[in-house]
Amino acid sequence: MVVLQLLSFWFLILGPVVAIWPQPSSISTGDTPLFINRDIKVTYNGNPILFDPDYESPKIDSKNVVQGGVRRALGTIFNHGLYPWMFHPRNETRSFQPRLSDRSFLKILEITQTGIDNPSTFKPLAGEVDESYELSIEIDGKASISAVSSTGILRALETFTQLFYTYSSYRDYYTPYAPVSIKDAPKFPHRGLMLDTSRSYYSVKSILRTIDGCAASKLNVLHWHITDAQSWPLEIPALPELSAKGAYNPNMVYTPEDVRMVQEYGIVRGVQVVLEVDQPGHISSLAWSHPELLTAYDYQPYTDFCAEPPCGSLRLNDSAVERLLDKMMDDLLPRLQPFSAYFHNGGDEIKASNSAVDPSVGTNDTAVVSKLLQSYTDKSSARVRKAGMTPIVWEEIPVDWNVTLDADMVVHSWLGSDSVSKITNKGYKVIDANYNYLYLPCGLGQWVTFSPGSSYQNGEPFTDWCSPFKSWERVYSYNPTAGLTNEQAEKVIGSEATIWSEYTDELTLDGLAWPRTSVLGEILWTGPLNEDGQSGSRNQTSAAPRINELRERLVLRGIQAARLQMTYCTEGGNCVQPLGA
Amino acid sequence: MVVLQLLSFWFLILGPVVAIWPQPSSISTGDTPLFINRDIKVTYNGNPILFDPDYESPKIDSKNVVQGGVRRALGTIFNHGLYPWMFHPRNETRSFQPRLSDRSFLKILEITQTGIDNPSTFKPLAGEVDESYELSIEIDGKASISAVSSTGILRALETFTQLFYTYSSYRDYYTPYAPVSIKDAPKFPHRGLMLDTSRSYYSVKSILRTIDGCAASKLNVLHWHITDAQSWPLEIPALPELSAKGAYNPNMVYTPEDVRMVQEYGIVRGVQVVLEVDQPGHISSLAWSHPELLTAYDYQPYTDFCAEPPCGSLRLNDSAVERLLDKMMDDLLPRLQPFSAYFHNGGDEIKASNSAVDPSVGTNDTAVVSKLLQSYTDKSSARVRKAGMTPIVWEEIPVDWNVTLDADMVVHSWLGSDSVSKITNKGYKVIDANYNYLYLPCGLGQWVTFSPGSSYQNGEPFTDWCSPFKSWERVYSYNPTAGLTNEQAEKVIGSEATIWSEYTDELTLDGLAWPRTSVLGEILWTGPLNEDGQSGSRNQTSAAPRINELRERLVLRGIQAARLQMTYCTEGGNCVQPLGA
C-alpha cells in the first residue's frame, strides 16, 4: 500500500502522466519533443491524404472514414488543442514546454490498414470489428498508425490527438513524448451511452455533440431511446399522426433525415447509433394518436400501473396493435438497417395490472401474460429480423416473464449483477447498465411533487429512488463482470451509461454525461481488471490526472463536461485521501 | 388534505397559474388580455423614460437605476420573452392565446417613487431599504408601479416582466391577466447567493450572469467568496505579488476594475455584492507570495490541520501578519465601500492544531487561541469599520471560540438550526446558510481521490460529507427560522445559497445554482410560513408550475438553469405523488 501511495506521489512530483484516456493496453514513451504543423504529410495505404478543412465525407467507405478521421484529428490538434498549464506547477506554466529553437517536426503520419473493411465494419454486431491499432511516433519525425480496420484507425487517431499539446503561444503544437509506441485494443466490444429523448427533447445538434463525446472517449454505441410514454418525437412518414400528435411540439420531431444524419455522423466516427422503440410498455405517447391501442392509459394511482406517469401499454392480444407495429417498422427499420446492426425493442417495466384492464386480455394471470408476451416478443423480433437486424430487449422480457429468445439476441440489463447472472445463465448475451453505477441522473431528486399531507413514501430529504448521485469515483469502481463465472463473463458484451430525462435536458446534458461516461469508457476499454491485473477497486489517484485532462480536452471540443477536481489538485496539489484517515 | 389535493388538480385543469416567482404578498388578476409593444410610454415621477437599447447607466442614482431597470424589463419582454406552449395542453399551443384582432394595448407604464433614495438605498444594511412595491395593470391600458425606493421599483419591474408572454408569432407580446393588482414586499432583507471563486476561477462574465439570476429572482446579495486556500485571484495593487503568484493563472485575476464593474452591475440591479477575504484560515493561497506569514502550510495528513488541502492559517500572534492585512485592507476596502455596506472577514474552520505549530503561538490551548482570536477579530473588524463598513464573520468565531463581537455585526451560520439558535441567543444578527438545505454542490461526490488499500473513511459509494444532493424540493422545505423563538427569529436577517467550487466551475455553474437559488429566494421573500399561513412543508405541487416557468424565463435570459420536471408535467400531466402511495 505504501508503495502504491509513493507511486502516486512520484507521478505528482515527476509532473504530468501521459494522459491517454482510456488507458492503452501497452504504451511506452520517451521525452523528446516533436512539433507538428499543418505541413504534415498524411498517407493512407501509401496514398496522400489532403488536409482540407471543408471536406465533408460524401459516402461511407474506408477511405472517407479515414480521411474524415484525419481531418478531425488535425482539426482537434490545431484548433481545439490543450495548452496544459493547469497540469503543471503554478507559475511554471512555461518552463515545462520544450524550447522553440532547434525544434524538430513530425513530418509524416503513415496510416496503414492491414485488413479490408466489409459492410459490417460500419455497423458491426458486437465483436465483428477489430478495433485494435498500433501507433508509433519516432524521433526522426515519422509517425505510424497500423490497424486491421478503419475503425481501429479512428481509435488510433483519437489517441494521437491526446499526445499533443498547444504551446502557450497558441500558434505551435507539440508532443513531449517521442518516441511513442502504443499497442491497444478494447476488452469489451459494446461501449455505449443511452440517451432518452422522449421525456425531454434534445436538439439534433446536442445529439451530434454527444456522439463527439463518445468518439473522443472510444465509446462505440449511442443507444437512442427515442420514444417513451411522455412524448413521441419520432416521425414515421407512413404514420404521420404519431409525431404530429405525440411530439411535445411540432418543432420537437426527429425526421427521417435527422435520424439518418445522426446515424451517418456516428458511423464515420466509429459510433453505431442503435434506436429503441420501447414496447409494449413505455409507449403511451401513442395515446395522442391511437388511444384505441392502449390499455391502462394514464390510470391512477399511477403507482399501481407503471413506474411513472402516464401509464399505459399496448394491448397484448389485439390485431390492430400488430398492424400498427407492422406499418411502423416496415417504414422505420429499412431506413435504419444500412447504419445499424441492432434494433432495440424495449420491454422493461411491464405490469400485469395493465393486462387485467386490457379488453383484449382481461386478466393479470402471470401465465397468461407471459404467453402473450412470448408471442408479442416473437413478432417484434420477426420485424427486426425481416429488416436484417438483430433485436435487443430489456431484461424483464426473459427474466420476469420467462420469454424465450433467439440465442443471438442481446439482453439489456439494468437491475444489477444478480440480473446479469440470471441472464447469462440462460445463455444470452448481455449489455449491462447497472443502475447502481451507470444511471447518471440518479441522485438529483424527485421529478414527482408532493402536497402537504401526502404520505411521503420518498419524502424528506426528497431523494429519488436511485440516489445517491453516481460520482466519477463510483462509476470508476464499476466492474461489468463482478461476481460472474468466466463462462458467464464471456456473455457480457459491454455496458452503457444511461441518461434518463426526467430532470435533464440538453442544457445540463453535457455536465451529467461527461466525463462520467468516459470513465465507464475506460473500464470497458481496459477490462474488468485493475491496473495491477487484479479485480477490485481501481486507483482513482493515478486515474485522476488522466480523466481531468480528458475533461479539459472535451471542453475544448465543445462539450461542457463537469469539473471533477479543483485546479489546485490538477496542478500537482496533494488531493489524495491520507492513509488511515 | 383532500381539499388541497383537489386544489392542485383544479390548477392543472384550469390551466396556467399566474406564475410570479417569488409569490407576491397579495395578487389579484383578471382574464382580459392586454398587448404591449415598443410604443409603450414609460414615465418616472411624471417624466418620460425613453427606451434606448444602447443606454448604459453612467452613474448610480435613482433615475439611472430606474431607467436601466425599465430598459432591461422591456428588453426581457421583447427580446427574451417566453412563448409558453409548454405550460399548456399539448397540441393546443395556439388556442390558449388571445386573439390578435381587436386587441387592446398597454399604453403607459407610470412609475412613481413615493420616497427619496439616499446613499444607503444603493448599499443598504439589512433592512435599510424598503423593497416593497405596488403594481397594477388596468384594462384601459394603464399600468402603474409605485414604490418607496428605486429598489422597490426594480423588484416591481421583475414582476412586471413575468406577467407577459411572447405570442407564437414571436412578434407580439401580451399579458392574459388584466386587470392586475399586486402588493408585495419581502419578509427577509438578506437574500443571497455565495460564490467561491478561489477553488475554481469564474470569468467576470459568468459572475455578471449570476447577478442576472439573482435579480430575476429578487435576491439582493451576491456574497463573493473571492479568496480561499487554493488560489488568490484578487488583485491588490499595493501587494501585487498576492495575485501574481497566488492566482491559478495570470489570466485568472480579478482586477480592481473587474471588482468595481461587478459591484456596479449588481447595484443597478438591486443586488449588493459583498466580498469576503476568508481569514485566518482558508487563506493559505498567500503561501505563494508570503509563506512566512502562515503556519501549518500544506501539513499532512491534512485531516489533522484543516478541512481540505492545502492547510495553513495566518499566524495569530505575528505583527507581520497584521502589517500585511493593514496594507491589504487599506487598499481594498476603500474601493469596496462605495458599493457595499458589508465586508466579510471569514473565520470558519479554524483548527487549534495550527496554533500548536505556529512559531508565534506554540500551543493548541483553547484558552490561548481564543484570546488570540479575540484580538485578531477585533483588529479585522477595526479595518472594516475604518472603511465605513460593517463586518460579517462565520459562526465559528463567536460559537466555537467564544469571541465577543460588536452588537451590530452579522454572523454567518452554516452548521444548521442549532447553530442559529446559539448565535441568536448571544444576541447577534444571523445570515443562515444551513448546509443541509443550501449547499448546492453537495451530493456530487468526493473531490479527494482514494488509492487502493487506503481505508475509505468515506469510501464506496464515494459520497461526499454533505450528500445527498439538495433537490429543489429539499430547498423548498427549508425554513430559516425553524425551531427558533420569535425573539430568536427576529435576529435572522436572511439566508444564502452556497456554491463552493471543489467540483464546480463556470461550465456547470448555472445548472447547479438555478433555479434552486430562486427556490430559496421565494422562501426568503415570502417568509417562513407556507401558503396556508402555517409553518411547515410548503406545497410543491402548486409551486412546481411557477418554478418551472421561472426556469424557462431564466433560460431565455441566458442562464442554463436545470430542468426540474418533464414537459409532460409542465403541460398539465399529473405529476403529483398519489395520496397514500
Side-chain angles (χ1 to χ4, degrees):
Chain A
M1 297 311 131
V2 173
V3 172
L4 283 171
Q5 187 75 3
L6 286 174
L7 192 65
S8 65
F9 275 110
W10 179 82
F11 275 121
L12 294 172
I13 291 162
L14 271 197
V17 293
V18 182
I20 311 297
W21 191 282
Q23 183 80 40
S25 310
S26 89
I27 177 169
S28 74
T29 56
D31 58 5
T32 301
L34 265 185
F35 284 74
I36 186 171
N37 66 21
R38 290 178 174 81
D39 294 333
I40 189 170
K41 285 179 190 156
V42 185
T43 65
Y44 172 48
N45 292 340
N47 300 311
I49 284 187
L50 300 178
F51 175 45
D52 172 2
D54 294 326
Y55 171 86
E56 276 301 323
S57 175
K59 61 175 182 167
I60 294 164
D61 64 21
S62 308
K63 188 181 166 199
N64 282 322
V65 165
V66 170
Q67 191 153 331
V70 169
R71 177 178 60 85
R72 290 191 305 276
L74 296 180
T76 297
I77 291 171
F78 297 133
N79 304 323
H80 308 286
L82 174 63
Y83 167 42
W85 64 268
M86 72 292 286
F87 299 105
H88 295 271
R90 199 177 309 189
N91 304 329
E92 297 175 25
T93 48
R94 283 178 170 76
S95 63
F96 65 82
Q97 298 187 132
R99 292 192 304 172
L100 290 176
S101 55
D102 307 323
R103 60 191 147 152
S104 300
F105 280 90
L106 192 61
K107 299 179 194 76
I108 187 162
L109 168 59
E110 285 185 358
I111 299 173
T112 306
Q113 187 176 339
T114 60
I116 294 174
D117 292 334
N118 56 52
S120 75
T121 303
F122 305 112
K123 50 163 201 168
L125 291 165
E128 275 193 326
V129 66
D130 183 337
E131 298 180 85
S132 69
Y133 67 88
E134 295 185 23
L135 166 63
S136 68
I137 300 178
E138 307 297 337
I139 55 173
D140 68 1
K142 179 185 166 189
S144 305
I145 285 173
S146 170
V148 174
S149 69
S150 60
T151 314
I153 293 169
L154 292 178
R155 307 295 175 237
L157 287 165
E158 290 295 341
T159 300
F160 187 76
T161 66
Q162 293 185 5
L163 290 164
F164 286 88
Y165 295 100
T166 298
Y167 211 83
S168 53
S169 63
Y170 289 95
R171 284 192 312 265
D172 302 288
Y173 314 91
Y174 67 100
T175 178
Y177 299 129
V180 175
S181 176
I182 293 173
K183 287 191 180 188
D184 202 7
K187 288 290 195 301
F188 287 96
H190 188 104
R191 306 182 302 279
L193 170 63
M194 194 213 82
L195 182 65
D196 159 18
T197 62
S198 168
R199 294 185 175 89
S200 286
Y201 176 84
Y202 293 78
S203 68
V204 169
K205 187 177 165 189
S206 70
I207 297 173
L208 300 184
R209 194 173 69 236
T210 302
I211 290 174
D212 291 342
C214 289
S217 313
K218 300 192 177 78
L219 292 152
N220 62 1
V221 174
L222 180 75
H223 168 187
W224 191 353
H225 184 93
I226 196 167
T227 60
D228 208 298
Q230 285 75 18
S231 78
W232 186 280
L234 174 62
E235 183 182 331
I236 303 286
L239 296 158
E241 69 276 17
L242 304 194
S243 58
K245 297 183 176 178
Y248 276 142
N249 183 290
N251 298 325
M252 294 184 159
V253 165
Y254 303 111
T255 66
E257 294 69 33
D258 290 334
V259 172
R260 181 188 170 109
M261 186 213 292
V262 170
Q263 290 194 296
E264 288 185 335
Y265 189 93
I267 282 180
V268 299
R269 285 159 180 81
V271 179
Q272 186 175 174
V273 178
V274 175
L275 263 71
E276 175 186 358
V277 172
D278 204 348
Q279 50 182 299
H282 283 288
I283 197 168
S284 54
S285 52
L286 286 184
W288 295 95
S289 52
H290 290 279
E292 73 283 2
L293 304 181
L294 293 167
T295 176
Y297 178 65
D298 203 18
Y299 271 35
Q300 295 288 345
Y302 77 82
T303 41
D304 289 348
F305 293 90
C306 63
E308 69 184 46
C311 296
S313 307
L314 289 174
R315 299 179 183 187
L316 286 185
N317 194 18
D318 184 333
S319 58
V321 169
E322 300 302 331
R323 284 196 301 275
L324 180 106
L325 291 173
D326 284 342
K327 199 167 179 182
M328 181 193 299
M329 296 303 171
D330 277 346
D331 178 323
L332 176 65
L333 298 181
R335 290 189 278 109
L336 304 182
Q337 185 273 345
F339 312 106
S340 294
Y342 295 104
F343 182 77
H344 199 312
N345 271 323
D348 54 324
E349 298 187 315
I350 300 160
K351 283 206 173 190
S353 57
N354 292 23
S355 291
V357 297
D358 180 345
S360 77
V361 184
T363 175
N364 63 1
D365 182 317
T366 307
V368 174
V369 179
S370 286
K371 199 173 161 196
L372 289 168
L373 280 171
Q374 179 73 57
S375 166
Y376 183 92
T377 304
D378 289 344
K379 288 177 195 157
S380 298
S381 298
R383 291 184 194 101
V384 177
R385 300 289 190 190
K386 178 181 167 194
M389 303 160 85
T390 299
I392 304 174
V393 292
W394 287 103
E395 66 170 71
E396 286 91 332
I397 292 289
V399 174
D400 292 358
W401 301 101
N402 217 20
V403 167
T404 302
L405 308 173
D406 300 332
D408 68 328
M409 281 174 64
V410 178
V411 178
H412 199 140
S413 180
W414 62 285
L415 285 162
S417 48
D418 285 353
S419 285
V420 176
S421 182
K422 285 180 201 164
I423 300 160
T424 53
N425 280 345
K426 287 173 181 277
Y428 301 122
K429 295 190 180 99
V430 174
I431 299 163
D432 185 36
N434 188 331
Y435 77 90
N436 291 297
Y437 294 86
L438 305 181
Y439 272 32
L440 300 182
C442 284
L444 297 182
Q446 298 269 1
W447 57 266
V448 73
T449 58
F450 298 85
S451 301
S454 66
S455 58
Y456 292 170
Q457 186 181 39
N458 296 297
E460 285 208 55
F462 304 108
T463 52
D464 51 273
W465 68 278
C466 53
S467 180
F469 188 80
K470 311 310 170 199
S471 65
W472 85 267
E473 298 94 331
R474 174 69 170 176
V475 177
Y476 203 54
S477 70
Y478 166 69
N479 177 349
T481 57
L484 302 184
T485 65
N486 286 344
E487 198 182 354
Q488 287 176 316
E490 282 173 12
K491 295 288 185 184
V492 178
I493 64 173
S495 305
E496 293 181 6
T498 305
I499 299 278
W500 299 109
S501 300
E502 281 87 355
Y503 26 63
T504 307
D505 64 12
E506 70 181 84
L507 291 187
T508 51
L509 169 64
D510 289 13
L512 275 181
W514 309 106
R516 290 186 295 158
T517 301
S518 313
V519 170
L520 171 65
E522 172 151 301
I523 287 167
L524 297 173
W525 186 269
T526 63
L529 304 183
N530 68 21
E531 54 272 23
D532 300 316
Q534 310 291 320
S535 64
S537 289
R538 284 154 191 259
N539 188 324
Q540 300 166 7
T541 304
S542 57
R546 291 187 298 108
I547 191 65
N548 285 330
E549 183 166 322
L550 181 74
R551 186 263 180 174
E552 296 302 322
R553 290 185 183 274
L554 290 173
V555 169
L556 289 160
R557 291 169 75 166
I559 295 167
Q560 292 191 284
R563 171 176 288 284
L564 300 179
Q565 289 197 300
M566 302 180 273
T567 306
Y568 173 77
C569 302
T570 68
E571 70 182 9
N574 185 357
C575 293
V576 180
Q577 179 77 353
L579 281 176
Chain B
M1 297 312 130
V2 173
V3 172
L4 283 170
Q5 185 77 1
L6 286 173
L7 192 64
S8 63
F9 276 109
W10 179 82
F11 275 121
L12 293 172
I13 291 162
L14 272 198
V17 293
V18 182
I20 310 298
W21 191 280
Q23 183 79 42
S25 309
S26 86
I27 177 170
S28 73
T29 55
D31 57 6
T32 300
L34 265 185
F35 284 74
I36 186 172
N37 65 21
R38 290 178 174 81
D39 294 332
I40 187 169
K41 283 180 191 157
V42 185
T43 64
Y44 172 46
N45 291 342
N47 301 312
I49 284 189
L50 300 178
F51 174 45
D52 173 2
D54 294 327
Y55 171 86
E56 275 303 323
S57 175
K59 60 175 182 167
I60 294 165
D61 63 22
S62 309
K63 187 182 166 199
N64 282 322
V65 165
V66 170
Q67 192 153 332
V70 169
R71 177 178 59 85
R72 290 191 304 276
L74 296 181
T76 296
I77 291 170
F78 298 133
N79 305 322
H80 309 285
L82 173 62
Y83 167 43
W85 63 268
M86 71 292 285
F87 298 106
H88 294 272
R90 199 177 307 188
N91 304 329
E92 298 176 24
T93 49
R94 282 177 170 77
S95 63
F96 64 81
Q97 297 186 133
R99 290 190 306 173
L100 290 176
S101 55
D102 307 323
R103 59 190 147 153
S104 300
F105 279 89
L106 192 61
K107 299 180 195 76
I108 187 163
L109 169 59
E110 285 186 358
I111 299 173
T112 307
Q113 186 175 340
T114 60
I116 293 173
D117 292 335
N118 56 51
S120 76
T121 304
F122 305 112
K123 48 164 203 167
L125 290 166
E128 276 192 325
V129 66
D130 183 336
E131 298 179 85
S132 68
Y133 67 89
E134 295 186 21
L135 166 62
S136 67
I137 300 179
E138 307 298 337
I139 56 174
D140 68 0
K142 177 183 166 191
S144 306
I145 285 173
S146 169
V148 174
S149 69
S150 61
T151 314
I153 293 169
L154 292 178
R155 307 295 175 237
L157 287 166
E158 290 294 342
T159 301
F160 186 75
T161 66
Q162 293 185 5
L163 289 164
F164 286 88
Y165 295 102
T166 298
Y167 211 82
S168 52
S169 63
Y170 289 97
R171 283 191 312 265
D172 302 288
Y173 315 90
Y174 68 100
T175 179
Y177 299 129
V180 176
S181 176
I182 293 173
K183 286 192 181 188
D184 202 7
K187 289 291 195 299
F188 288 97
H190 188 105
R191 306 181 304 277
L193 170 63
M194 194 213 82
L195 182 65
D196 159 19
T197 61
S198 167
R199 294 186 174 88
S200 286
Y201 176 84
Y202 292 78
S203 68
V204 169
K205 187 177 166 188
S206 69
I207 297 172
L208 300 184
R209 194 172 70 237
T210 303
I211 291 174
D212 291 341
C214 290
S217 313
K218 300 193 178 79
L219 292 153
N220 62 3
V221 174
L222 180 75
H223 167 188
W224 192 354
H225 185 91
I226 196 167
T227 61
D228 207 297
Q230 286 75 18
S231 78
W232 186 279
L234 174 60
E235 183 182 330
I236 303 285
L239 296 159
E241 68 276 16
L242 304 194
S243 57
K245 296 183 177 179
Y248 276 142
N249 182 290
N251 297 325
M252 293 184 160
V253 165
Y254 303 110
T255 66
E257 294 70 32
D258 291 334
V259 172
R260 181 189 171 109
M261 186 212 293
V262 170
Q263 290 194 296
E264 287 185 335
Y265 189 93
I267 283 180
V268 299
R269 286 160 179 79
V271 179
Q272 185 174 174
V273 177
V274 175
L275 263 71
E276 175 187 359
V277 171
D278 205 349
Q279 49 182 297
H282 283 288
I283 197 167
S284 55
S285 53
L286 285 184
W288 294 94
S289 52
H290 290 280
E292 74 283 1
L293 304 182
L294 293 167
T295 176
Y297 178 65
D298 203 18
Y299 272 33
Q300 294 288 346
Y302 77 82
T303 41
D304 289 348
F305 295 90
C306 64
E308 69 184 45
C311 296
S313 307
L314 289 173
R315 298 180 183 186
L316 285 184
N317 194 18
D318 185 333
S319 59
V321 168
E322 301 302 331
R323 283 197 302 275
L324 180 106
L325 291 173
D326 284 343
K327 200 167 179 183
M328 181 193 300
M329 297 303 171
D330 276 348
D331 179 322
L332 176 65
L333 298 181
R335 290 190 278 110
L336 304 182
Q337 185 274 343
F339 312 105
S340 296
Y342 296 104
F343 183 77
H344 199 312
N345 271 323
D348 55 325
E349 298 188 315
I350 301 159
K351 282 205 175 192
S353 57
N354 291 23
S355 291
V357 297
D358 179 345
S360 78
V361 184
T363 175
N364 63 1
D365 182 317
T366 308
V368 174
V369 178
S370 285
K371 198 173 163 196
L372 289 169
L373 279 172
Q374 179 72 58
S375 167
Y376 183 92
T377 304
D378 289 344
K379 289 177 195 156
S380 298
S381 298
R383 290 184 194 101
V384 177
R385 300 289 189 190
K386 179 181 166 195
M389 302 160 86
T390 299
I392 304 173
V393 291
W394 288 102
E395 66 170 69
E396 286 92 331
I397 292 290
V399 174
D400 292 358
W401 301 103
N402 217 19
V403 167
T404 302
L405 308 174
D406 300 332
D408 68 328
M409 282 175 63
V410 178
V411 178
H412 199 141
S413 181
W414 62 285
L415 286 162
S417 48
D418 285 353
S419 283
V420 177
S421 182
K422 285 181 202 164
I423 300 160
T424 54
N425 280 345
K426 287 173 182 277
Y428 300 123
K429 296 189 179 98
V430 174
I431 300 163
D432 185 36
N434 187 331
Y435 77 90
N436 291 297
Y437 294 86
L438 305 180
Y439 272 30
L440 300 183
C442 284
L444 297 181
Q446 298 269 0
W447 58 267
V448 73
T449 59
F450 298 86
S451 301
S454 66
S455 59
Y456 292 170
Q457 187 182 37
N458 295 299
E460 287 208 58
F462 304 109
T463 51
D464 52 272
W465 67 277
C466 54
S467 181
F469 187 80
K470 312 310 171 200
S471 64
W472 86 266
E473 298 95 331
R474 174 70 170 175
V475 177
Y476 203 55
S477 69
Y478 166 70
N479 177 347
T481 57
L484 301 183
T485 65
N486 287 344
E487 197 183 356
Q488 287 176 316
E490 281 172 14
K491 293 288 184 182
V492 178
I493 63 172
S495 305
E496 293 181 6
T498 304
I499 299 278
W500 299 109
S501 300
E502 282 86 354
Y503 26 63
T504 306
D505 64 12
E506 69 181 83
L507 291 186
T508 51
L509 169 64
D510 289 12
L512 275 182
W514 310 106
R516 289 186 295 158
T517 300
S518 314
V519 171
L520 171 65
E522 172 150 302
I523 287 167
L524 297 173
W525 186 269
T526 63
L529 304 184
N530 67 23
E531 55 272 22
D532 301 315
Q534 310 291 320
S535 64
S537 290
R538 284 154 191 260
N539 188 324
Q540 300 166 6
T541 303
S542 57
R546 290 188 298 109
I547 191 64
N548 286 329
E549 182 165 323
L550 181 73
R551 185 263 181 176
E552 296 303 321
R553 290 186 183 274
L554 290 172
V555 168
L556 288 161
R557 290 169 77 165
I559 295 168
Q560 292 191 282
R563 171 176 288 284
L564 300 179
Q565 290 197 299
M566 303 180 272
T567 305
Y568 173 78
C569 303
T570 68
E571 70 182 9
N574 184 356
C575 292
V576 181
Q577 180 77 353
L579 281 177

